[in-house]
Amino acid sequence: MVTRRGGAKLPRIGLALAGGGPLGAIYEIGALCALDETLDGLDFTQLSGYVGVSAGGFIAAGLVNGMTPRELYAAFIENDSRDDGDLFRPSLLMRLAWGEYLHRLAALPGLAAQAALHYAFKRRSPLEAFERLGRALPAGLLSGAAMERQVARLFSAPGRSNDFRQLNRQLVLVATDLDSGDAVPFGQPGLDDVPISLAVQASAALPGLYAPVQVKGRTCVDGVLKKTLHASVLLDEGLDLLICLNPLVPFDATHAARHKVLGSGEARIPRLVDGGLPVVLSQTFRSLIHSRLELGLKGYGQSHPGTDIVLFEPDPRDPEMFLANTFSMSQRRLLAEHAYQRTRELLRSRRSSLGAQLARHGLSINDTVLDDPLRRLLGRQRRLAGTRSARALKRLDEVLNDLELALG
């Protein structure tokens, strides 16, 4: 048991990060930066435990390896780190799964022969024969192997580790066994010998988009297929406080604020159906995973009444986090800034209730930081002393960033 001076027990605080692809990672980094600088007494690199799913697993693995939210932002949004490189390069996320294609192509002649025999001699329907040919289709369009290698390089740097067993904090990255539908909690006993980078790749292998990942004889895909947060793996350890981040919420277009586009007062999409199939599918996916999240949180409240659970997620009326192109890396700085500012707004709106909840665990909201109107995530200047010229530079930086946001 860890105690403070005087014998007071230190609170056990955990972090659960849901998935959401590159957009989810950008939101979580922006939100974590806002929380990290606003909540006094909280160090996101020194928590009792971490659980991550999909993109959230990548962020959780970075935090447990000692990378602060600001360092994650510098490395993956601003590309300011010489050692860490740019892990969000579209070229890494968009590599075709050539091995999967070749494997399926090699099987095509045999499958075609089987389909022809069934149709000719067993009087099977043409549709049934065609279904056999479906086995020649790849199980995923893209490969996460390039990203896995980059993550492995990142966590092999001095002071970090790509081995669950060498970490001084609990880390669980959850994937789903495609054959059984069971959760695969990498990092727990029996699954802690898997490299963290490979667990990240497996946890983020969204079916249909990314090829499944073979790990210890199991075919693994995105952990979100089983649950949205998988928070129970931490709650079962007896946490006092669990902080949850979920980047994907269904968009409420009926109550959304008017969103100007190039100076017009019109909303981008008055009705979601006008956005076509991609928007409809996005809304469907978000609604499904969010309904599971709501049910899960209710269950956690009943099964673990001694743990305070705090959830942060985007405003469902906010079109920016819904209409953004998931793979548009040119927007990542603007989206990170947007997530940062919206999280600060959320903290201000919940200041009283959240402050009382956090106080039970030795944490507090820094009102000076939270109420600073000039505080930004994007920054072109180094922070200077509070002189008149420094304030002028900060104001100029704010105006330039506002202009960038408007043009974006």
Side-chain angles (χ1 to χ4, degrees):
M1 179 183 298
V2 181
T3 59
R4 292 191 179 99
R5 290 183 180 180
K9 179 183 175 182
L10 281 175
R12 290 177 53 81
I13 302 174
L15 179 67
L17 300 176
L23 176 62
I26 292 169
Y27 167 81
E28 289 179 344
I29 289 175
L32 284 170
C33 286
L35 295 173
D36 186 55
E37 65 185 29
T38 305
L39 303 183
D40 288 342
L42 185 64
D43 184 345
F44 278 107
T45 68
Q46 299 294 322
L47 302 182
S48 297
Y50 305 78
V51 60
V53 182
S54 192
F58 170 68
I59 303 301
L63 292 170
V64 79
N65 264 290
M67 298 182 69
T68 67
R70 279 283 180 173
E71 288 173 339
L72 287 170
Y73 171 80
F76 310 126
I77 307 298
E78 292 284 5
N79 307 325
D80 280 346
S81 174
R82 298 178 182 177
D83 298 326
D84 298 336
D86 180 5
L87 290 186
F88 280 177
R89 289 201 311 270
S91 61
L92 292 178
L93 297 170
M94 302 295 290
R95 300 287 177 88
L96 294 177
W98 291 114
E100 177 71 12
Y101 294 158
L102 294 175
H103 171 71
R104 301 290 175 170
L105 185 62
L108 181 59
L111 292 173
Q114 292 178 21
L117 289 173
H118 276 70
Y119 178 67
F121 297 104
K122 295 188 177 183
R123 300 183 180 276
R124 302 293 186 183
S125 68
L127 181 59
E128 185 175 346
F130 182 75
E131 287 177 349
R132 283 186 168 270
L133 293 178
R135 301 178 185 178
L137 295 176
L141 301 177
L142 306 176
S143 170
M147 176 62 73
E148 187 276 331
R149 290 191 295 270
Q150 186 78 332
V151 174
R153 185 183 70 84
L154 172 71
F155 294 154
S156 297
R160 301 172 187 165
S161 176
N162 198 33
D163 190 332
F164 285 101
R165 297 164 297 185
Q166 295 180 3
L167 300 175
N168 57 8
R169 296 287 188 277
Q170 181 186 17
L171 172 66
V172 180
L173 306 178
V174 186
T176 302
D177 188 319
L178 184 62
D179 295 316
S180 67
D182 295 333
V184 185
F186 295 110
Q188 291 194 327
L191 292 170
D192 55 358
D193 57 337
V194 175
I196 294 175
S197 57
L198 184 60
V200 169
Q201 180 191 0
S203 180
L206 184 64
L209 183 60
Y210 284 95
V213 181
Q214 301 296 324
V215 186
K216 301 185 70 172
R218 308 174 80 166
T219 303
C220 296
V221 294
D222 200 316
V224 77
L225 266 68
K226 187 68 176 179
K227 291 182 181 179
T228 303
L229 275 177
H230 291 274
S232 58
V233 298
L234 292 184
L235 291 170
D236 291 342
E237 300 295 323
L239 293 178
D240 299 302
L241 172 66
L242 178 66
I243 299 174
C244 306
L245 268 70
N246 172 51
L248 297 184
V249 297
F251 179 48
D252 184 1
T254 62
H255 295 88
R258 303 294 291 178
H259 187 73
K260 296 183 179 180
V261 181
L262 298 179
S264 69
E266 298 180 357
R268 286 184 181 177
I269 300 178
R271 298 186 307 159
L272 293 186
V273 70
D274 296 336
L277 182 61
V279 171
V280 172
L281 290 179
S282 176
Q283 180 76 335
T284 301
F285 179 72
R286 289 165 178 259
S287 299
L288 288 173
I289 65 172
H290 197 263
S291 64
R292 292 193 312 173
L293 172 65
E294 291 176 332
L295 290 174
L297 290 176
K298 291 180 181 178
Y300 295 148
Q302 296 174 357
S303 60
H304 301 82
T307 303
D308 283 329
I309 301 176
V310 180
L311 173 67
F312 295 94
E313 56 185 9
D315 187 336
R317 300 165 298 178
D318 183 359
E320 290 291 344
M321 297 305 298
F322 177 74
L323 297 174
N325 184 348
T326 300
F327 286 94
S328 177
M329 293 299 101
S330 63
Q331 297 184 30
R332 59 187 175 188
R333 296 177 73 245
L334 302 178
L335 289 171
E337 175 69 37
H338 185 77
Y340 174 83
Q341 296 297 349
R342 297 295 83 78
T343 302
R344 286 168 52 82
E345 289 180 7
L346 179 61
L347 287 170
R348 286 192 288 268
S349 68
R350 297 168 55 184
R351 190 192 312 249
S352 298
S353 60
L354 184 59
Q357 193 174 25
L358 295 175
R360 294 199 291 267
H361 309 288
L363 308 179
S364 62
I365 295 176
N366 189 320
D367 293 325
T368 301
V369 171
L370 185 58
D371 294 329
D372 182 0
L374 302 182
R375 189 169 288 267
R376 315 281 295 186
L377 180 59
L378 304 180
R380 295 178 178 81
Q381 322 290 343
R382 293 186 179 273
R383 288 194 175 273
L384 303 175
T387 62
R388 179 177 299 180
S389 60
R391 289 193 296 271
L393 286 174
K394 288 181 179 179
R395 178 57 181 165
L396 176 61
D397 185 63
E398 181 183 18
V399 171
L400 290 174
N401 277 298
D402 284 339
L403 177 60
E404 182 177 5
L405 287 168
L407 293 177

